[in-house]
């Protein structure tokens, strides 16, 4: 295990009061594992990973919980409780990040080489140029492109350069926030294949956030589904895709065309994502749920073991009582 | 890439040569489009002063001075271009027979000293504080500096200058009331000291009124830039906050300010008008004020031409610097 998240809360704090965007989220990330996090816009998935790496911008702030990092060397640290200064040494060495749009994430006025060099030097690398060339070759970019500025590269090349940059200091965890959303489908497949290959070679763990569940099935070992700031289902990727335990997961699965199987009928999820300022009293998905019943509006279901995976849904209470 | 750069430069140079030519031509045409002619104005003035009629020989001499009004416009234009090329701007009327070129040459160092240094200083102070204020918007520093800058920017310059002159010059007597140096010390050991002493008040008032504008501009750009993803990534990389602040945030936020700074440098000659009048500072601005009030056309023309050319030169430098500091603009030049 490399990362142990316990009861993490992230609030957006305003004069009108706090809005909880990430609510009591707990999960563990294993070494070398790719964990996918999926959900609609506003479900808290991006806020969650920004919280994990302590890059939240005000007014967002961690208001509770623990994020234990178990690094290769040294004692475990609770990222949620370290000061910014203490975190600096861990950043990029232990946890690196790939952001959604490489165009926005690369400094527009600096050459690629400079953007590799500053982080390598910061973390004590000496052979900066060779290392940069090596990293670029790893993602299939010719090392002489190191002299390019971000605007001189294509979108796909920029995104691959971002991945190379993330791997600069041989991190243990790479957090990826929709890294393939801004590129075309062909490039998307190439990048996914590259991530899998590099993970095989270098052994880092990945937390991969996307709204595209069918993409995650191809990539992730396990998948966490988020709704209204909480994890509502967590399980093996194939299992989640084949037999989703939560009606929301099922809805999400059926709203994207599968990457490999022939396209059948797509059905969206009716209604809109919940208003975090005013969540339903019971299950947050209840107003949109096709399988809801009385219980759902009254009591919020806990995230419990349902055999192969975790799910927060009252449908499984019935099964449990039936079995007992 | 190299070829692109070369072509870009050639195109810019050609553009500026064309602009300079039209400025010179306008400078030639505008006074000639005005009703009346300088000769009759001066003859009338002299008549009023002396109360006698001016002898025809004198009128002819004055006409000769301004060029023959009966000569064709094209011939005049040609002569004018020739004299501009030789940096010969004619003779001043108000300080006859000093050549205009000489007057400009005497005023230029003073203006460059005063306005050049203060523009640089105001930019450096304002931008530096703007970076600090915009890095943590709503922080303590920002909460103090931003309202202060808004207040300072709202004060009219001439008012600030007059108050300063009254308080520090007249009441307290700390600084001289006007001029650029003490004439008694000219060429003597204490001269440099007296120049500095005379510089303090005009310089301080300019910096005082100007830095707030730079501060606000830089602060606002900083706030936008700080929320960019590349600044977030800089932090994620574990770089020191100073490095992220300067190399990632400020380096990008500075780009619009550079254009503004070049415009300000271009406006150095014209912008000093008010300061130089209030403090009777012997620069180009004071020269222009003098020329206008005494209807010294050749001197006015000389000052206008010099000002125009400075603006052009500054713009050219700004363009070139911008291409150097923002790699994205190189594309546009191709």
């Amino acid at each position: 295990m490399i990362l142990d998240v316990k009861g993490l809360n992230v609030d957006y704090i305003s004069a009108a009061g706090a809005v909880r965007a990430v609510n009591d989220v707990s999960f563990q990330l294993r070494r070398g594992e790719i964990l996918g996090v999926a959900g609609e816009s506003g479900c808290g998935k991006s806020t969650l990973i920004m919280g994990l790496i302590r890059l939240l911008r005000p007014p967002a702030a961690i208001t509770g919980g623990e994020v234990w990092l178990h690094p290769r060397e040294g004692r475990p640290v609770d990222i949620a409780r370290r000061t910014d200064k203490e975190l600096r040494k861990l950043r990029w060495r232990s946890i690196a990040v790939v952001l959604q749009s490489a165009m926005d994430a690369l400094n527009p006025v600096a050459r690629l080489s400079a953007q590799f060099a500053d982080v390598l030097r910061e973390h004590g690398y000496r052979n900066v140029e060779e290392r940069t060339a090596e990293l670029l070759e790893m993602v299939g970019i010719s090392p002489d492109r190191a002299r390019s500025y971000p605007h001189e590269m294509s979108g796909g090349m920029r995104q691959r350069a971002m991945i190379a940059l993330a791997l600069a200091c041989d991190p243990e965890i790479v957090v990826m926030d929709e890294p393939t959303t801004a590129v075309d489908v062909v490039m998307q497949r190439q990048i996914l294949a590259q991530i899998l290959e590099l993970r095989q070679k270098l052994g880092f763990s990945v937390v991969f956030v996307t709204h595209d569940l069918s993409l995650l099935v191809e990539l992730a070992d396990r998948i966490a589904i988020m709704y209204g700031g909480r994890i509502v289902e967590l399980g093996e990727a194939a299992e989640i895709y084949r037999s989703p335990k939560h009606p929301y997961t099922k809805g999400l699965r059926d709203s994207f065309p599968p990457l490999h199987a022939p396209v059948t009928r797509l059905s969206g999820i009716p209604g809109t994502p919940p208003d975090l300022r005013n969540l339903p009293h019971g299950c947050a998905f209840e107003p949109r749920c096709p399988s809801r019943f009385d219980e759902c509006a009254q009591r919020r279901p806990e995230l419990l073991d349902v055999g192969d995976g975790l799910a927060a849904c009252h449908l499984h209470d019935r099964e449990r009582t039936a079995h007992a | 890439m190299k070829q692109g750069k070369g072509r870009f430069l050639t195109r810019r140079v050609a553009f500026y040569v064309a602009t300079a030519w039209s400025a010179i031509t306008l400078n030639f045409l505008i006074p000639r489009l005005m009703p009346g002619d300088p000769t009759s104005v001066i003859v009338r003035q002299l008549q009023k002063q002396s109360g006698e009629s001016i002898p025809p020989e004198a009128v002819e001499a004055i006409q000769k001075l301004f060029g023959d009004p009966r000569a064709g416009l094209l011939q005049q234009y040609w002569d004018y271009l020739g004299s501009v090329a030789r940096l010969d701007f004619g003779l001043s009327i108000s300080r006859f027979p000093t050549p205009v070129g000489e007057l400009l040459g005497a005023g230029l160092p003073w203006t460059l000293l005063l306005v050049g240094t203060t523009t640089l200083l105001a930019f450096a102070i304002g931008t530096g504080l703007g970076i600090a204020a915009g890095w943590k918007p709503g922080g303590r520093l920002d909460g103090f500096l931003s309202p202060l800058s808004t207040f300072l920017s709202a004060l009219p310059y001439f008012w600030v200058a007059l108050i300063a002159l009254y308080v520090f010059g007249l009441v307290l007597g700390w600084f001289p009331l006007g001029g650029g140096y003490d004439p008694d010390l000219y060429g003597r050991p204490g001269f440099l000291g007296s120049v500095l002493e005379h510089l303090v008040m005009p310089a301080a008032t300019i910096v005082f009124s100007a830095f707030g504008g730079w501060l606000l501009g830089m602060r606002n750009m900083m706030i936008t830039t700080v929320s960019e993803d590349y600044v977030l990534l800089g932090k994620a990389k574990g770089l020191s906050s100073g490095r992220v602040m300067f190399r990632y945030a400020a380096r990008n936020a500075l780009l619009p300010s550079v254009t503004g700074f070049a415009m300000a440098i271009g406006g150095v000659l014209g912008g000093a008008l008010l300061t130089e009048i209030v403090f009777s500072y012997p620069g180009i601005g004071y020269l222009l004020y003098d020329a206008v009030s005494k209807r010294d056309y050749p001197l006015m023309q000389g000052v206008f031409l010099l000002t125009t050319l400075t603006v052009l030169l500054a713009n050219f430098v700004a363009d070139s610097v911008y291409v150097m500091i923002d790699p994205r603009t190189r594309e546009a030049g191709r």
Side-chain angles (χ1 to χ4, degrees), chain B residues 315-328:
Chain B
N315 271 330
F316 178 66
V317 171
D319 268 2
S320 316
V321 168
Y322 205 94
V323 170
M324 270 191 278
I325 61 172
D326 189 351
R328 284 164 297 185

Side-chain angles (χ1 to χ4, degrees), chain A residues 2 7 26 44 77 87 90 110 114 128 130 177-178 185 234 271 279 287 291 296 298:
Chain A
I2 174 90
S26 304
V77 281
L87 282 178
L90 288 176
V128 170
E130 297 91 81
D177 187 7
E178 310 220 20
V185 188
L234 178 70
L279 283 174
S291 341
C296 300
Q298 286 156 15

Side-chain angles (χ1 to χ4, degrees), chain A residues 88 91 104 107 115 118 123, chain B residues 230 235 237-238 248 252:
Chain A
R88 263 186 63 198
R91 292 192 185 280
D104 302 329
N107 189 349
Q115 309 197 37
D118 64 359
H123 296 291
Chain B
Y230 50 79
K235 188 183 174 194
K237 280 170 155 184
Y248 285 72
N252 281 284

Side-chain angles (χ1 to χ4, degrees), chain A:
Chain A
M1 187 179 57
I2 174 90
L3 199 65
D4 189 4
V5 183
K6 294 176 182 169
L8 186 68
N9 290 335
V10 178
D11 287 2
Y12 283 83
I13 296 156
S14 71
V19 177
R20 186 147 291 181
V22 172
N23 202 337
D24 192 22
V25 165
S26 304
F27 66 88
Q28 294 181 343
L29 180 69
R30 300 167 192 153
R31 253 177 213 288
E33 176 188 42
I34 298 184
L35 175 73
V37 180
E40 289 165 297
S41 314
C43 73
K45 56 190 193 298
S46 287
T47 308
L48 167 67
I49 58 164
M50 286 302 160
L52 291 184
I53 53 178
R54 282 279 300 273
L55 281 184
L56 292 167
R57 291 190 177 108
I62 294 177
T63 49
E66 296 160 20
V67 181
W68 286 96
L69 173 75
H70 298 263
R72 270 176 298 228
E73 53 231 32
R75 293 218 301 261
V77 281
D78 181 4
I79 295 176
R81 275 197 185 66
R82 296 286 144 222
T83 63
D84 275 344
K85 216 172 166 187
E86 290 169 315
L87 282 178
R88 263 186 63 198
K89 279 198 202 81
L90 288 176
R91 292 192 185 280
W92 228 252
R93 285 195 83 109
S94 285
I95 305 189
V97 57
V98 176
L99 296 173
Q100 182 171 1
S101 162
M103 185 74 235
D104 302 329
L106 290 169
N107 189 349
V109 297
R111 292 180 200 280
L112 210 50
S113 54
Q115 309 197 37
F116 276 84
D118 64 359
V119 72
L120 286 170
R121 287 213 184 87
E122 179 71 41
H123 296 291
Y125 284 77
R126 293 245 177 75
N127 47 347
V128 170
E129 269 170 52
E130 297 91 81
R131 178 73 181 147
T132 304
E134 181 190 355
L135 288 161
L136 287 177
E137 266 175 344
M138 217 146 58
V139 295
I141 298 176
S142 155
D144 57 13
R145 292 309 300 254
R147 283 187 52 75
S148 301
Y149 287 99
H151 73 271
E152 294 170 342
M153 300 187 289
S154 69
M157 196 187 276
R158 272 197 293 267
Q159 201 64 45
R160 279 182 290 150
M162 274 299 299
I163 292 172
L165 183 60
L167 301 177
C169 301
D170 201 9
E172 295 170 89
I173 302 173
V174 182
V175 171
M176 300 186 174
D177 187 7
E178 310 220 20
T180 58
T181 308
V183 295
D184 63 66
V185 188
V186 180
M187 186 50 68
Q188 184 172 324
R189 294 222 52 87
Q190 279 183 26
I191 289 177
L192 293 183
Q194 213 148 42
I195 293 171
L196 282 171
E197 187 195 318
L198 289 168
R199 192 265 309 244
Q200 198 73 32
K201 206 160 96 185
L202 304 171
F204 51 84
S205 312
V206 178
V207 180
F208 193 105
V209 166
T210 178
H211 58 272
D212 185 345
L213 187 58
S214 61
L215 183 152
L216 273 187
V217 176
E218 308 265 312
L219 180 78
D221 302 309
R222 286 190 305 152
I223 293 175
I225 306 290
M226 281 188 79
Y227 190 80
R230 292 175 186 271
I231 293 183
V232 294
E233 184 167 358
L234 178 70
E236 298 297 323
E239 190 61 31
I240 282 217
Y241 202 71
R242 198 172 51 239
S243 62
K245 303 290 181 296
H246 197 288
Y248 176 64
T249 312
K250 189 171 181 306
L252 206 59
R253 181 193 68 178
D254 296 339
S255 10
F256 284 95
L259 278 182
H260 283 309
V263 177
T264 48
R265 222 184 68 238
L266 295 181
S267 54
I269 306 170
T272 50
D275 180 1
L276 290 174
R277 284 166 302 183
N278 191 15
L279 283 174
H281 180 68
C283 172
F285 188 58
E286 183 266 336
R288 300 167 75 187
C289 185
S291 341
R292 64 172 175 262
F293 52 97
D294 297 348
E295 182 86 9
C296 300
Q298 286 156 15
R299 197 167 53 83
R300 189 173 53 74
E302 297 292 324
L303 185 64
L304 296 169
D305 194 342
V306 290
D308 30 35
L310 305 174
C313 179
H314 286 311
L315 286 172
H316 301 283
D317 297 354
R318 275 188 183 167
E319 280 169 31
R320 250 192 301 277
T321 41
H323 283 300

Side-chain angles (χ1 to χ4, degrees), chain B residues 280-301:
Chain B
S280 321
Y281 207 75
I284 298 288
Y286 193 69
L287 216 52
L288 178 62
Y289 172 67
D290 218 28
V292 171
S293 52
K294 290 176 182 152
R295 292 189 189 271
D296 188 341
Y297 288 101
L299 186 55
M300 262 191 264
Q301 258 186 323

Side-chain angles (χ1 to χ4, degrees), chain B residues 53 61 87 160 196 207 210 299 317 330:
Chain B
S53 67
L87 294 178
V160 172
L196 284 178
V207 173
L299 186 55
V317 171
R330 282 171 215 163

Side-chain angles (χ1 to χ4, degrees), chain B residues 4-25:
Chain B
K5 245 184 210 173
R7 256 183 71 190
F8 177 77
L9 209 67
T10 335
R11 234 191 258 180
R12 296 313 289 170
V13 170
F15 170 78
Y16 279 104
V17 168
T19 316
W21 170 74
S22 29
I24 290 170
T25 306

